[in-house]
Amino acid sequence: MKARYELYYWPSIQGRGEFVRLAFEEAGVPYVDVSRLPAKKGGGVRAMMKLLEGGGRGLVPFAPPFLKVGDFLLGHTANILLYLGPRLGLVPDDEESRLFAHQLQLSITDFVAEIHDTHHPIASSLYYEDQKAAAKKRASLFRKERLPRFLGYFEQALARNGGAHFIGSALSYVDLSMFQVIEGLRYAFPNAMARAERSTPKLAALAAAVAARPRIAAYLASPRRLPFCEEDVFRHYPELDAKR
Amino acid sequence: MKARYELYYWPSIQGRGEFVRLAFEEAGVPYVDVSRLPAKKGGGVRAMMKLLEGGGRGLVPFAPPFLKVGDFLLGHTANILLYLGPRLGLVPDDEESRLFAHQLQLSITDFVAEIHDTHHPIASSLYYEDQKAAAKKRASLFRKERLPRFLGYFEQALARNGGAHFIGSALSYVDLSMFQVIEGLRYAFPNAMARAERSTPKLAALAAAVAARPRIAAYLASPRRLPFCEEDVFRHYPELDAKR
């Protein structure tokens, strides 16, 4: 019997759930995006909250996204991909490759958290408007220091592995996640990214190659792909993306 | 032949390296804390920087801490513990337990990042003194919202597993890491923790049980255990820990 994969995440944003969606989409493996189903079909946010409040078996995830397979729940994006990678054929078989893939995914996790904190440097519970001054400072140092630092690191990692893929000689979930980060950054920081991407041609080529893969292209053109927006991790606020 | 484990981390702080040190110490497995050796014995920060600059084989870690076993380098604290857990006998054998242990460790990782950002909300590259106003705001919301949220989550996870350990029926690396977080929080936020710990008796009992384990007690009393200080993740700034 085949596993039935259920993804639980906020229904109206790409967010961290998108890294998991991209893996399923590329693998062509069916999954249920539970919160996006109507409540009468067991969907909606309510079903998700019930599990987060301890309504399942075993360890309760700290926050969405989480995966449900039977009565097994698994939380943390990078942990979900660690689990799914071999099952979806999106990582090589050997332990070293899997640890390296996971290591890169954890650096992506840190990068995404820093990207989020450019617009929420004080607290996620406050509105952006109530932390705008701090956001401007944090975003300015992010653009100058952290953005080139992270992109430079990933460009180098890609180069050291031959330039086409992060892990082994075929596509892995890390390549898919990096595509998402590049896309998100281009949306959120078009000016800063135009400058930064001059030094990262391999990342740009990778992102283009991922976008051109038939299943990913079909996904991106489908209604399953939600648009970027200002309720999400990647937000475009012009005041956080100075022209110079 | 036994593996020779080398830990690379900043030599003068506990930091994120401490989670790895505690695992080795509890297991009684020898490890070399390379940066704390004199340069003429191959130690110092220089040896570490050389590897971070790409002087080794395979994937380069993004930042310390990282582990070296032969010519294999592994970065990210939680990833190092994922790798070491089975080898040090600090996690059960089955896949579900290992994924759950790693999941909890990733929540600890997030918690530690938020603790760090209470004193560095704008940028790690700036002095605390240059981001003090933002730090006060972030720390205030951390004490009110995030500290009880994380501690409450971990208390519940402990309770759901019987109360004595986070994973299975024996000590795991997650228990050791949680001890370190509790100790660090008591150092950094004595007032806020005195209030928060009224609701988390199981975490307090776990921290006491870990501290009393013979190898951990011997380690804590040894010069290998560095003191908490204001160059570290857990910092005690009275202005960030209001009495009420």
Side-chain angles (χ1 to χ4, degrees), chain A residues 60 62 102 125 145 149 153, chain B residues 60 62 102 125 145 149 153:
Chain A
V60 180
F62 186 80
H102 188 55
S125 62
E145 297 171 359
R149 166 89 173 87
Y153 172 78
Chain B
V60 180
F62 185 79
H102 188 55
S125 62
E145 296 171 358
R149 165 91 173 86
Y153 172 78

Side-chain angles (χ1 to χ4, degrees), chain A residues 44-109:
Chain A
V45 167
R46 199 141 182 193
M48 181 169 86
M49 296 318 291
K50 210 173 145 184
L51 291 170
L52 284 177
E53 284 155 10
R57 182 183 68 77
L59 183 63
V60 180
F62 186 80
F66 59 92
L67 188 72
K68 187 168 180 291
V69 190
D71 64 354
F72 168 64
L73 298 185
L74 192 67
H76 280 286
T77 309
N79 200 31
I80 295 169
L81 292 170
L82 177 73
Y83 171 86
L84 285 178
R87 289 166 171 88
L88 302 184
L90 287 174
V91 77
D93 276 336
D94 61 295
E95 188 192 21
E96 179 172 303
S97 296
R98 290 183 185 185
L99 288 165
F100 281 171
H102 188 55
Q103 180 172 328
L104 283 163
Q105 195 66 39
L106 290 173
S107 289
I108 290 174
T109 302

Side-chain angles (χ1 to χ4, degrees), chain A:
Chain A
M1 206 181 86
K2 274 193 191 170
R4 176 188 153 99
Y5 293 113
E6 297 183 330
L7 172 66
Y8 286 79
Y9 194 62
W10 304 111
S12 57
I13 59 170
Q14 296 179 13
R16 290 169 171 89
E18 197 67 11
F19 300 102
V20 183
R21 290 190 190 110
L22 285 167
F24 281 123
E25 295 286 347
E26 168 61 27
V29 168
Y31 65 105
V32 185
D33 206 338
V34 180
S35 308
R36 289 170 73 182
L37 293 177
K40 57 182 168 187
K41 286 191 177 176
V45 167
R46 199 141 182 193
M48 181 169 86
M49 296 318 291
K50 210 173 145 184
L51 291 170
L52 284 177
E53 284 155 10
R57 182 183 68 77
L59 183 63
V60 180
F62 186 80
F66 59 92
L67 188 72
K68 187 168 180 291
V69 190
D71 64 354
F72 168 64
L73 298 185
L74 192 67
H76 280 286
T77 309
N79 200 31
I80 295 169
L81 292 170
L82 177 73
Y83 171 86
L84 285 178
R87 289 166 171 88
L88 302 184
L90 287 174
V91 77
D93 276 336
D94 61 295
E95 188 192 21
E96 179 172 303
S97 296
R98 290 183 185 185
L99 288 165
F100 281 171
H102 188 55
Q103 180 172 328
L104 283 163
Q105 195 66 39
L106 290 173
S107 289
I108 290 174
T109 302
D110 288 349
F111 194 16
V112 169
E114 292 198 24
I115 293 163
H116 170 271
D117 283 6
T118 58
H119 50 78
H120 277 76
I122 303 298
S124 291
S125 62
L126 295 180
Y127 289 112
Y128 165 64
E129 286 70 23
D130 295 328
Q131 50 193 314
K132 210 165 164 175
K136 279 187 190 174
K137 282 188 207 164
R138 180 148 185 160
S140 162
L141 287 156
F142 171 80
R143 295 192 312 267
K144 264 179 235 155
E145 297 171 359
R146 303 302 285 173
L147 181 67
R149 166 89 173 87
F150 273 104
L151 291 180
Y153 172 78
F154 291 121
E155 179 81 4
Q156 187 206 43
L158 205 47
R160 278 173 74 101
N161 193 49
H165 297 293
F166 275 109
I167 297 292
S169 56
L171 184 94
S172 74
Y173 65 78
V174 180
D175 299 329
L176 299 170
S177 291
M178 188 54 59
F179 155 78
Q180 174 66 10
V181 170
I182 300 282
E183 282 291 291
L185 286 168
R186 285 173 181 163
Y187 172 81
F189 299 100
N191 294 321
M193 276 300 276
R195 293 191 293 275
E197 290 205 64
R198 281 180 219 142
S199 316
T200 56
K202 289 184 178 65
L203 289 179
L206 172 71
V210 168
R213 294 181 74 90
R215 285 174 177 156
I216 296 295
Y219 168 62
L220 297 177
S222 79
R224 297 193 300 288
R225 171 76 165 184
L226 295 162
F228 287 106
C229 75
E230 278 58 55
E231 304 293 319
D232 208 329
V233 172
F234 299 101
R235 300 188 184 189
H236 179 54
Y237 293 129
E239 63 273 23
L240 301 188
D241 183 37
K243 286 241 165 73
R244 265 246 57 94

Side-chain angles (χ1 to χ4, degrees), chain B residues 157-223:
Chain B
L158 205 47
R160 277 171 75 101
N161 193 48
H165 297 292
F166 274 109
I167 297 293
S169 56
L171 184 95
S172 74
Y173 65 77
V174 182
D175 299 329
L176 299 171
S177 292
M178 187 53 59
F179 155 78
Q180 175 66 9
V181 170
I182 300 284
E183 282 290 292
L185 285 169
R186 285 174 181 162
Y187 172 81
F189 299 99
N191 294 321
M193 276 300 275
R195 293 191 293 275
E197 291 206 64
R198 281 179 219 142
S199 316
T200 56
K202 289 184 179 64
L203 288 179
L206 172 71
V210 168
R213 294 181 73 89
R215 283 172 177 158
I216 297 296
Y219 169 62
L220 297 177
S222 79

